[in-house]
Amino acid sequence: MSDSPVVRARNLGKTFGKGSDRVEALRGIDLDIESGEFVSLIGPSGCGKSTLLRLIGDLVPASSGELTVNGKSPQQARLDRDYGIVFQKATLLDWRTVTKNVELPLEIMDEEARSERAASMLDLVQLSDFAKHYPWQLSGGMQQRVAIARALAFEPSLLLMDEPFGALDEMTRELMQQEVLRLWQQTHTTVVFVTHSIPEAVFLSTRVIVMSARPGRITDRIETQLPYPRTVDTRESAAYYDKITEVRESLRRGDRQ
């Protein structure tokens, strides 16, 4: 890991609206995320975990405090294409093939380079056989794999994922978790992952960041300490269940604070 964190937040706050409509979403967030980490943000609904992800991704501006991505402002990091983002919905363009969807962020490159990179990304997510298909011809899990391929296409140092498996059935969700871990270990990309699922956070992450109810504050930072690669056996281990219990109890303590 490098000496400088990929994400650094100090006393970060976010407020929406004014006057009687004012809502304080985040308060006093201090957080460092190091290169190569897989960090999950978890907390009750409305705690601001997605807002924190959007601040990092320069989708909304901070109201107070300091935030840097790779030592730069989020806006500059976005302009430098330092990160890719994957949302709960794949947000693919139905009129473009799988290949053309993956090529979307690569359009500043020449056609041959775009095509080669898209093919490489589809191979990475094991969808090469579906390159000429359209999104509506794919399952939900396959669409999310295309969205991940698109987000990784320009080789960002940081991948932001906002509940990307929330709409999937449990079996597909577990398969996608394995897929994301495989990609993370292959690409060494730093990942920030928002989820409501304690088992998902524990299974995926090197570290789980626990947040309180609004205004969202960080109440705990839990190292998962489960060995990689993580498999079906991991899900059945006593250490995995113990860590789930630790996160659950931390969430309960946070609710009382």
Side-chain angles (χ1 to χ4, degrees), residues 17-186:
K18 296 180 180 179
S20 60
D21 294 327
R22 183 178 181 274
V23 175
E24 188 180 15
L26 294 171
R27 178 190 295 173
I29 300 293
D30 290 329
L31 179 64
D32 286 348
I33 297 174
E34 304 293 340
S35 176
E37 280 198 283
F38 195 124
V39 172
S40 285
L41 308 178
I42 195 165
S45 294
C47 73
K49 51 190 180 292
S50 289
T51 298
L52 178 54
L53 191 88
R54 288 168 181 267
L55 288 173
I56 296 169
D58 194 42
L59 299 177
V60 293
S63 301
S64 59
E66 300 177 3
L67 177 63
T68 60
V69 178
N70 288 330
K72 298 172 277 192
S73 69
Q75 182 182 37
Q76 187 59 53
R78 174 176 56 81
L79 293 173
D80 291 344
R81 309 177 89 185
D82 284 357
Y83 45 78
I85 304 179
V86 180
F87 298 103
Q88 184 170 346
K89 292 184 177 179
T91 61
L92 304 176
L93 301 179
D94 282 342
W95 60 91
R96 297 181 69 135
T97 64
V98 164
T99 291
K100 292 300 182 184
N101 268 284
V102 175
E103 286 182 0
L104 192 60
L106 304 174
E107 295 194 339
I108 61 169
M109 301 169 66
D110 65 64
E111 185 174 353
E112 183 178 357
R114 279 202 314 270
S115 178
E116 288 179 358
R117 181 70 61 81
S120 174
M121 289 300 101
L122 289 176
D123 183 57
L124 187 68
V125 299
Q126 300 178 351
L127 285 176
S128 297
D129 291 344
F130 297 87
K132 295 182 180 179
H133 284 61
Y134 289 87
W136 50 269
Q137 296 175 302
L138 307 180
S139 68
M142 292 168 74
Q143 289 181 21
Q144 282 298 69
R145 284 156 67 187
V146 176
I148 293 167
R150 181 179 60 190
L152 292 173
F154 51 90
E155 300 179 335
S157 62
L158 176 64
L159 182 62
L160 306 176
M161 308 188 79
D162 193 358
E163 298 190 69
F165 311 143
L168 303 178
D169 65 83
E170 193 63 26
M171 185 173 293
T172 303
R173 187 169 184 150
E174 289 189 1
L175 290 172
M176 287 300 299
Q177 290 166 7
Q178 294 279 180
E179 185 74 4
V180 164
L181 284 183
R182 181 182 66 81
L183 293 172
W184 171 66
Q185 290 182 291
Q186 275 189 251

